[in-house]
Amino acid sequence: MNIWVKRVYAALVFAFLYLPLVVIAVYSFNASKYSLAWKGFTLHWYGQLLKNNTLVDAAFRSMTIAVVSATVSCVIGTLAAFMLHQYRFRGRRAVFASIFVMMMSPDIVIGISLLVLFLGVGLSLGFWTLLMGHVTLCVPFVTATVYARFKGFDPTVVEAARDLGAAEYQVFRRIVLPMAAPGLIAGWLLSFTLSLDDVIVSFFTTGPTYEVLPLRIYSMVRLGIKPDVNALSVLMIIITVAAVLLSRRLLKEKS
Amino acid sequence: MKDSLFKRLVVTGVLGWMVLFGAVPTLMLLAVSFLKRDPDSLIEPALSLASYRELLQPALGSMLAESMIMAATATLLCLLIGYPFAYIVARADRRYTRTLLLLVMIPFWTNTLIRTYALVAVLKADGVVNTFLLFLGVIDAPLKLMYTPAAVFIGLVYTLLPFMILPLYAAIEKLDLKLLEASRDLGASRFSTFRKITVPLTMPGIVSGCMLVFLPALGMFYIPDILGGARTMLLGNYIRDQFLAARNIPLGAAASIAMTVIMGLMLALYYKSVRRAGRKVRI
């Protein structure tokens, strides 16, 4: 392929991926309310956004659930990765396979099966069920990220600690955790963005008492585009991109 | 040696968690799909194959087939757009690869609902595409893009393209260039080198990319909701409607089980292609 053909092709694909994001950003600073025509720069919509309590509340709830579920997922996922890396037990391969299957499972199947569980047990849908939903979604990804980090370790360090008389918990706390720290933080940020990004699992696992941002936007979009939603989208894009850049930085330290 | 308390706690905790949130809900879903529907209490505790029978009936069957065709078409479009792109990125100057990949990742990380919503701004009657085409004079009146099946395809491809590009990139990047050179030296044309060497060796990437696009494409009910007309439906819309609108939980569960079976088949295909590609490399 000619170098220019390649460049133009790549540029077109990037244009396709970025055009909608750029349009949203432009709209959010455009003084004109509905049309694309540029009527001058304004921060008015950002001001409007702050006055829109339902939207700000929903954004705040999304952030809360993302932080809490990322933290819980990180604990469970790290322990799972530690278990898979350090211990030999029956059914280890089955655990590997299940984690992979959970990672591949379509979101809607995860959401629906959890809904059936919650209905069956008689839990009312809200913060706690949403948290369980997001944790279920995120744990396999944390496990995979942290496990990859563990695999890069020198196993003799752990053996040396054991030979010197460290108990299992001490090995985990003093040796493994500090070495895995960048992987842990990357896993945390990954879960954080997965949770912020999720629409489908949230749709089935949360109730009217705890409406998160994507669901709020979902019900608003049917009523047409609102400029303050553009402003909010721009803020959310900035937050997720920052989280991703940070996690990549931390993962890069490894190599 | 007796296991330490810590080890026992970790193993029980993690396995317990996996059983509670992985195995139990799946088994419950499976069980519910074999129960009868009850208009009042939602589920009647009586075994029945009614939901599966209904799923195979012509009316539903054609809806399922249509939704599979939609997801498959979106997958094929992603593959056709993504393969050359992944190839270009994988063969680009080392200095730029990381940045190019990061640029692919960024939209993939931003909220898909926000991105779908952003597409509305691009596709609507006074949106970017129409304004641009009117400005160029290609069209006289705005095209109707929103609320068409085309908008749903654009939405699916736009949202899922990075899921296709990343595994393809990983597979193409691993490709041993010596094999391609050897093929050319032995007189194969560019096309037959591509067909007989490049494609089989990158098959695991192709299959995993297709899997990562096809399965979510079946389930993303909000894309037809926001961009498509009233008629366009994916399997996800159907499952959601059974649970929330029609209140036919066994039927919704059976449709979800069908989706899980599709996933199982695709995973099997993936393993087969990995093994086959592995064997071919060794030869």
Side-chain angles (χ1 to χ4, degrees):
Chain A
M1 258 191 285
N2 180 302
I3 181 98
W4 281 104
V5 175
K6 284 184 187 175
R7 282 185 185 161
V8 170
Y9 185 82
L12 282 174
V13 173
F14 278 125
F16 175 56
L17 289 176
Y18 280 89
L19 181 68
L21 301 183
V22 172
V23 169
I24 281 288
V26 170
Y27 268 115
S28 82
F29 293 113
N30 190 353
S32 148
K33 190 167 180 183
Y34 292 113
S35 100
L36 194 68
W38 185 253
K39 294 267 169 63
F41 179 88
T42 180
L43 287 175
H44 176 71
W45 307 121
Y46 288 85
Q48 286 296 107
L49 172 66
L50 291 179
K51 283 186 224 148
N52 189 337
N53 282 332
T54 53
L55 216 49
V56 172
D57 285 352
F60 188 71
R61 278 188 219 115
S62 274
M63 285 296 195
T64 313
I65 204 82
V67 168
V68 178
S69 73
T71 309
V72 177
S73 308
C74 220
V75 173
I76 301 175
T78 305
L79 290 177
F82 178 73
M83 176 180 102
L84 288 170
H85 187 252
Q86 290 287 318
Y87 301 147
R88 296 290 168 270
F89 54 91
R90 274 175 58 197
R92 187 166 164 273
R93 282 174 63 97
V95 173
F96 260 113
S98 336
I99 285 176
F100 185 62
V101 168
M102 283 173 89
M103 202 146 66
M104 291 307 303
S105 288
D107 288 0
I108 190 159
V109 175
I110 297 176
I112 285 288
S113 58
L114 287 175
L115 178 64
V116 168
L117 173 75
F118 297 149
L119 290 177
V121 180
L123 282 176
S124 59
L125 300 177
F127 174 82
W128 293 104
T129 50
L130 180 66
L131 178 65
M132 289 185 253
H134 281 201
V135 170
T136 308
L137 184 74
C138 297
V139 164
F141 291 92
V142 177
T143 309
T145 313
V146 177
Y147 185 80
R149 173 98 192 153
F150 282 165
K151 277 217 310 211
F153 282 176
D154 181 359
T156 51
V157 178
V158 172
E159 277 164 36
R162 285 206 180 114
D163 287 349
L164 291 169
E168 272 305 304
Y169 173 71
Q170 283 173 311
V171 170
F172 179 73
R173 172 80 187 74
R174 296 283 176 85
I175 310 291
V176 173
L177 265 194
M179 285 202 297
L184 275 175
I185 300 170
W188 191 93
L189 288 163
L190 180 60
S191 308
F192 177 79
T193 44
L194 275 174
S195 167
L196 270 189
D197 181 49
D198 170 75
V199 181
I200 298 177
V201 173
S202 309
F203 185 86
F204 291 108
T205 55
T206 194
T209 50
Y210 207 83
E211 192 181 36
V212 282
L213 189 64
L215 301 183
R216 181 74 235 151
I217 296 177
Y218 191 26
S219 49
M220 283 176 74
V221 171
R222 293 153 191 230
L223 307 170
I225 293 192
K226 297 280 186 330
D228 49 353
V229 178
N230 296 334
L232 184 66
S233 305
V234 172
L235 293 179
M236 297 297 290
I237 292 168
I238 293 171
I239 291 170
T240 30
V241 169
V244 175
L245 291 179
L246 197 60
S247 85
R248 278 185 62 97
R249 235 214 146 92
L250 290 163
L251 277 179
K252 225 197 299 189
E253 273 172 26
K254 178 181 138 197
S255 47
Chain B
M1 192 183 83
K2 208 171 153 293
D3 288 345
S4 73
L5 177 66
F6 180 75
K7 176 175 174 178
R8 268 181 290 156
L9 277 178
V10 168
V11 174
T12 348
V14 172
L15 294 184
W17 181 86
M18 285 181 67
V19 168
L20 191 60
F21 290 103
V24 170
T26 312
L27 292 176
M28 277 178 84
L29 190 69
L30 189 65
V32 167
S33 75
F34 285 109
L35 295 180
K36 254 194 199 144
R37 178 192 187 197
D38 183 277
D40 303 318
S41 61
L42 298 177
I43 299 166
E44 193 182 310
L47 281 179
S48 141
L49 281 172
S51 302
Y52 288 95
R53 236 178 269 133
E54 198 168 335
L55 219 51
L56 293 174
Q57 263 173 14
L60 255 183
S62 71
M63 191 285 297
L64 279 177
E66 212 173 289
S67 143
M68 302 263 268
I69 291 170
M70 270 193 90
T73 314
T75 310
L76 191 66
L77 284 172
C78 282
L79 183 63
L80 291 178
I81 300 172
Y83 202 99
F85 183 81
Y87 202 92
I88 292 168
V89 174
R91 292 276 170 272
D93 193 322
R94 275 271 154 270
R95 281 174 296 173
Y96 307 124
T97 342
R98 266 177 180 277
T99 318
L100 290 173
L101 278 181
L102 186 65
L103 284 172
V104 175
M105 298 282 278
I106 286 173
F108 158 76
W109 288 105
T110 35
N111 192 298
T112 44
L113 194 82
I114 289 179
R115 288 197 293 142
T116 311
Y117 165 79
L119 261 186
V120 178
V122 174
L123 297 177
K124 64 186 181 142
D126 59 348
V128 179
V129 171
N130 274 318
T131 312
F132 185 65
L133 291 177
L134 284 170
F135 173 77
L136 287 183
V138 180
I139 50 172
D140 306 324
L143 296 173
K144 185 177 165 53
L145 297 169
M146 278 295 290
Y147 311 116
T148 61
V152 179
F153 282 122
I154 295 175
L156 288 173
V157 173
Y158 172 61
T159 314
L160 296 167
L161 188 57
F163 288 90
M164 181 64 90
I165 292 175
L166 296 173
L168 282 177
Y169 166 82
I172 296 169
E173 206 247 354
K174 266 194 293 192
L175 203 64
D176 188 349
L177 287 178
K178 284 191 214 99
L179 294 172
L180 304 186
E181 275 165 34
S183 162
R184 299 281 286 146
D185 286 349
L186 293 168
S189 69
R190 268 173 185 278
F191 178 71
S192 63
T193 302
F194 178 73
R195 199 171 61 87
K196 297 204 172 142
I197 312 286
T198 311
V199 171
L201 284 177
T202 53
M203 198 43 96
I206 296 174
V207 176
S208 71
C210 288
M211 191 157 70
L212 285 172
V213 171
F214 183 75
L215 287 171
L218 277 178
M220 299 189 124
F221 56 78
Y222 51 89
I223 291 183
D225 268 7
I226 295 173
L227 300 171
R231 228 184 58 81
T232 12
M233 244 211 204
L234 293 175
L235 185 53
N237 298 66
Y238 182 74
I239 294 175
R240 177 201 54 188
D241 291 347
Q242 290 313 312
F243 269 84
L244 302 179
R247 310 294 273 171
N248 192 341
I249 290 184
L251 186 53
S256 315
I257 294 295
M259 206 157 158
T260 311
V261 171
I262 297 171
M263 175 188 75
L265 292 175
M266 296 192 83
L267 281 179
L269 184 70
Y270 173 71
Y271 277 113
K272 219 175 137 191
S273 77
V274 171
R275 242 184 297 136
R276 190 177 293 166
R279 225 182 299 134
K280 287 217 167 144
V281 171
R282 255 179 268 125
I283 289 168

